[in-house]
Amino acid sequence: MVKGKAGPEPQWEKRQRFAELIGAGHTIADAAREVGIHYRTGRTWDAWTNGRPIVGEHASV
């Protein structure tokens, strides 16, 4: 039995905007600042994609 609440909802809109900024040549720090996430979160998101655009059901591509 699990107690407590579920975690926060995924931030798909922020993640997509972050990927667009990275693709446009922005640094991780600049993109993270503009989207409103922590720099370390941006590094994690960038590492998950290995520099590739985000694809899947939430991608706008």
Side-chain angles (χ1 to χ4, degrees):
M1 177 185 231
V2 178
K3 294 184 178 184
K5 299 188 292 184
E9 291 293 318
Q11 301 177 7
W12 295 115
E13 293 82 18
K14 286 185 178 183
R15 188 175 288 204
Q16 183 63 39
R17 179 67 181 140
F18 178 81
E20 290 170 0
L21 292 170
I22 293 296
H26 290 262
T27 63
I28 293 173
D30 288 340
R33 190 176 304 114
E34 183 165 328
V35 172
I37 59 172
H38 195 277
Y39 171 76
R40 281 181 279 184
T41 302
R43 285 192 54 182
T44 300
W45 287 357
D46 191 53
W48 282 349
T49 63
N50 292 320
R52 295 186 302 271
I54 297 171
V55 296
E57 74 177 81
H58 296 286
S60 63
V61 177

